[in-house]
Amino acid sequence: MRPVGGGDDGDDGTGERRRDPVTGTMAERLTALLGREVRQAARAGRSHDWDIAYAELADGTRLFVKALPREAEPSGVFTAEARGLEWLGEAPDSPVLTPLAWDERIVVLPWVHECEPTPQAAERLGRRLARTHLAGAGSFGAPWPGFIGPLPLDNTPARDWPRFYAEQRLRPYLRRALDNGGLTPTDARIVERVVDGVEDLAGAPEPPARVHGDLWSGNVLWGSRDAVLVDPAAHGGHREADLAMLALFGLPYLDRVRDAYNEVAPLSAGWRSRVALHQMHPLLVHVCLFGAAYRTTALEAARAALRGG
């Protein structure tokens, strides 16, 4: 972390030190929010539509901060993130990183000193993820409006997973991908076959699991002993979805994670044939966010889902 004492941000060209309006205000805001003195904050760039910063308490404790720019109107994204982290954290031995403080414009998390992943940490992650899933949910969806990255996520509670997945996880992002040109109408017909056939592709019914919902490898932070999870799109969902997303972009020691998971909560028969089905949602989200760069991968997953693996 680059120290920026008291929000100071260099010379303004007149020989006077000018105050950084982002980090200076943020240090003051964090002090009020935490009830503890924050002596410095340092900007570290942007992620989607919000500012990323590191901060340090007077006692040297480090913090990670996400905040809306001052000109941005609150969308509910930080409320969804914080409520999701707290809800996931209610599960026994949950691996999520619980927020220290939050409001509609800011989320404050403990700093994680990242280390190299180890097989032992991967196995512990698998067991802890299984116990989190087994904590369950009252329904598919969640009692708060959801987001995945900056995009809204329909969390209207539902009892039937196949229709929930089709209508609240696939179809909205298919429409958005068509609107932004990431998919063509011909492409959409392939995805629509998945949407229309979810009941036949879904496998045996499962109760709602307490899922992270956006569990790609970048949301797994490997600490000095254990891996912790951040940035969820938490909801009651299908537990295979978290594992499928870990496989989508690659996670170190994924086989160790999955084997340890199976020790605690064995996956249902045929789970491998459904990996592509569960990957359809995050891939459509990527097409919405990044355009046609993810078109080929999304269509390959759709065809694999229709084949059953």
Side-chain angles (χ1 to χ4, degrees):
M1 179 175 66
R2 178 178 63 86
V4 185
D8 203 8
D9 196 38
D11 194 302
D12 66 1
T14 66
E16 297 292 327
R17 300 292 289 177
R18 60 183 171 84
R19 189 171 181 278
D20 187 310
V22 174
T23 55
T25 301
M26 185 179 290
E28 296 163 3
R29 180 85 179 279
L30 289 171
T31 295
L33 192 63
L34 293 163
R36 301 175 66 185
E37 181 188 352
V38 174
R39 67 183 180 192
Q40 58 188 18
R43 285 183 295 183
R46 298 289 292 273
S47 175
H48 297 300
D49 298 324
W50 42 84
D51 293 314
I52 300 298
Y54 303 119
E56 189 172 295
L57 298 176
D59 65 4
T61 301
R62 291 183 171 187
L63 310 173
F64 176 82
V65 181
K66 292 199 296 188
L68 289 180
R70 288 186 301 170
E71 68 275 10
E73 290 296 323
S75 65
V77 65
F78 289 160
T79 299
E81 177 180 342
R83 290 187 67 182
L85 286 169
E86 290 177 344
W87 180 67
L88 292 167
E90 293 170 3
D93 197 28
S94 172
V96 301
L97 202 61
T98 304
L100 299 172
W102 62 276
D103 62 23
E104 63 181 3
R105 301 192 63 87
I106 197 165
V107 176
V108 186
L109 296 167
W111 167 275
V112 176
H113 178 70
E114 294 190 66
C115 302
E116 288 297 314
T118 66
Q120 296 76 21
E123 290 168 3
R124 286 192 292 272
L125 174 60
R127 289 189 287 269
R128 298 177 76 191
L129 181 62
R131 285 190 279 270
T132 301
H133 287 171
L134 289 175
S139 64
F140 298 105
W144 57 81
F147 285 83
I148 183 161
L151 298 182
L153 189 69
D154 184 358
N155 275 342
T156 303
R159 294 292 176 185
D160 177 74
W161 183 80
R163 296 325 305 165
F164 169 80
Y165 190 60
E167 302 302 332
Q168 295 172 233
R169 292 298 181 265
L170 296 182
R171 200 180 297 279
Y173 302 97
L174 172 58
R175 293 192 190 109
R176 189 183 285 260
L178 274 168
D179 289 344
N180 77 2
L183 295 180
T184 68
T186 300
D187 299 335
R189 285 193 284 274
I190 299 171
V191 178
E192 284 167 352
R193 289 174 59 199
V194 179
V195 174
D196 294 339
V198 165
E199 283 91 347
D200 296 328
L201 302 172
E206 292 215 2
R210 192 169 297 221
V211 301
H212 179 283
D214 193 10
L215 196 52
W216 72 291
S217 57
N219 286 340
V220 180
L221 307 183
W222 299 90
S224 57
R225 181 180 185 274
D226 284 314
V228 295
L229 309 182
V230 296
D231 293 350
H235 63 279
H238 200 301
R239 65 200 183 104
E240 291 175 10
D242 276 349
L243 293 166
M245 195 164 183
L246 285 175
L248 181 58
F249 297 112
L251 182 80
Y253 304 112
L254 178 59
D255 287 346
R256 295 287 192 106
V257 172
R258 202 157 43 211
D259 289 348
Y261 182 101
N262 269 304
E263 292 173 8
V264 177
L267 292 165
S268 299
W271 67 266
R272 291 182 188 276
S273 69
R274 296 185 291 274
V275 169
L277 174 65
H278 291 292
Q279 291 176 343
M280 284 298 305
H281 172 235
L283 284 170
L284 287 173
V285 169
H286 275 69
V287 175
C288 293
L289 290 173
F290 306 113
Y294 283 90
R295 170 184 174 270
T296 299
T297 309
L299 294 178
E300 288 173 351
R303 294 186 180 101
L306 292 167
R307 292 194 307 266

